[in-house]
Amino acid sequence: MKVLVAVKRVVDFNVKVRVKADNTGVDLANVKMAMNPFCEIAVEEAVRLKEQGIASEIVVVSIGPAATQEQLRTALALGADRGVLVESNDELNALAVAKLLKAVVDKEQPQLVIIGKQAIDSDNNQTGQMLAALSGYGQGTFASKVAVSGNTVAVTREIDGGLQTVALSMPAIVTTDLRLNEPRYASLPNIMKAKKKPLETVTPNALGVSTLSTVKTLKVEAPTARSAGIKVKSVAELVEKLKNEAKVI
């Protein structure tokens, strides 16, 4: 069984994000970049399926500038077999990413596609669902457990009311949630081996996909600084402040 995993290059979650002085976007100059944490979970799940003898090949794909090869090499060091970089310097929205991934899926014909449920930079939580709609595959989103049996994958989903388990006929698309697994660290020998693993680079044009966006970012601003909270001594004082100062009751 071939498993395709999509990963995204984002600002490292430990870095404090800064907005450019001209408010045109996020300042990425000299900023540490990393693999999106939800994508790390997706890679780990694919590697575990291979260790169980269920998956025979793991293909990892990413979309972005040439520097994105760094995150693909990380995924290869974690256990993926080969990588595909769709090289693009454009600012892509979720639909454009989903169209590019569909082109890769059509080319690779995987039985299972695993994607992080969202990226920590845009927080859209859209790409997996859009890819499922475009490809016509069944989808299991917000997965906290994945179990493959024959040509079916059972996905336990985290929903508002608790847990829901859905059975999907493969090929299928799964988006990962935080509690699915704990990603491993890449060992030094595997990091060295990853340098020799195949990594193919293609362009959106080569895939026959137009990435022209109908959405334009007008302005990016940092959130307004919040004032410090206060402690009250009694319920009566709390009610008084909510009524007279906050004016919410």
Side-chain angles (χ1 to χ4, degrees):
M1 182 179 80
K2 181 189 291 188
V3 179
L4 181 75
V5 182
V7 301
K8 186 177 183 181
R9 175 181 171 90
V10 298
V11 176
D12 189 278
F13 71 93
N14 290 307
V15 174
K16 182 176 176 58
V17 176
R18 301 186 306 272
V19 176
K20 292 180 181 178
D22 59 2
N23 295 113
T24 58
V26 174
D27 187 2
L28 300 179
N30 301 315
V31 172
K32 181 183 178 183
M33 306 296 284
M35 189 190 305
N36 178 50
F38 289 100
C39 299
E40 291 181 344
I41 295 171
V43 173
E44 174 66 24
E45 192 63 22
V47 173
R48 292 188 184 189
L49 289 173
K50 187 176 181 181
E51 290 173 344
Q52 294 168 19
I54 297 172
S56 57
E57 183 183 22
I58 301 172
V59 182
V60 61
V61 59
S62 190
I63 303 166
T68 308
Q69 290 188 31
E70 179 185 352
Q71 281 64 50
L72 287 172
R73 291 294 179 191
T74 299
L76 293 173
L78 291 171
D81 297 298
R82 58 186 176 90
V84 177
L85 172 62
V86 182
E87 189 171 340
S88 174
N89 293 308
D90 297 333
E91 183 179 347
L92 303 176
N93 59 25
L95 181 57
V97 172
K99 289 180 178 179
L100 289 169
L101 289 178
K102 180 185 182 297
V104 176
V105 167
D106 290 344
K107 178 183 176 182
E108 294 290 342
Q109 293 294 305
Q111 283 71 51
L112 186 62
V113 181
I114 308 179
I115 303 177
K117 73 169 185 177
Q118 64 194 77
I120 61 172
D121 51 0
S122 58
D123 270 338
N124 285 332
N125 181 20
Q126 295 175 338
T127 303
Q129 291 89 328
M130 288 179 172
L131 177 58
L134 291 171
S135 62
Y137 291 177
Q139 59 176 306
T141 54
F142 315 117
S144 61
K145 184 179 179 182
V146 175
V148 177
S149 177
N151 197 41
T152 303
V153 55
V155 180
T156 301
R157 306 177 60 240
E158 296 194 354
I159 59 176
D160 290 341
L163 298 175
Q164 177 192 55
T165 301
V166 294
L168 308 174
S169 296
M170 292 190 285
I173 295 170
V174 173
T175 70
T176 61
D177 215 327
L178 282 173
R179 279 155 290 279
L180 179 58
N181 60 51
E182 183 70 29
R184 70 191 68 190
Y185 291 99
S187 64
L188 182 57
N190 286 337
I191 292 174
M192 301 305 294
K193 291 177 183 177
K195 294 180 180 180
K196 298 181 179 180
K197 290 185 178 181
L199 199 162
E200 177 188 3
T201 300
V202 297
T203 63
N205 287 338
L207 293 173
V209 177
S210 172
T211 58
L212 183 65
S213 176
T214 56
V215 179
K216 181 179 180 181
T217 301
L218 300 179
K219 190 176 183 181
V220 177
E221 292 181 325
T224 305
R226 295 182 179 181
S227 58
I230 61 171
K231 290 184 178 180
V232 294
K233 296 180 180 180
S234 66
V235 174
E237 184 182 355
L238 173 62
V239 172
E240 189 273 330
K241 288 185 177 295
L242 290 174
K243 184 176 181 179
N244 299 318
E245 292 185 17
K247 298 186 184 301
V248 294
I249 60 174

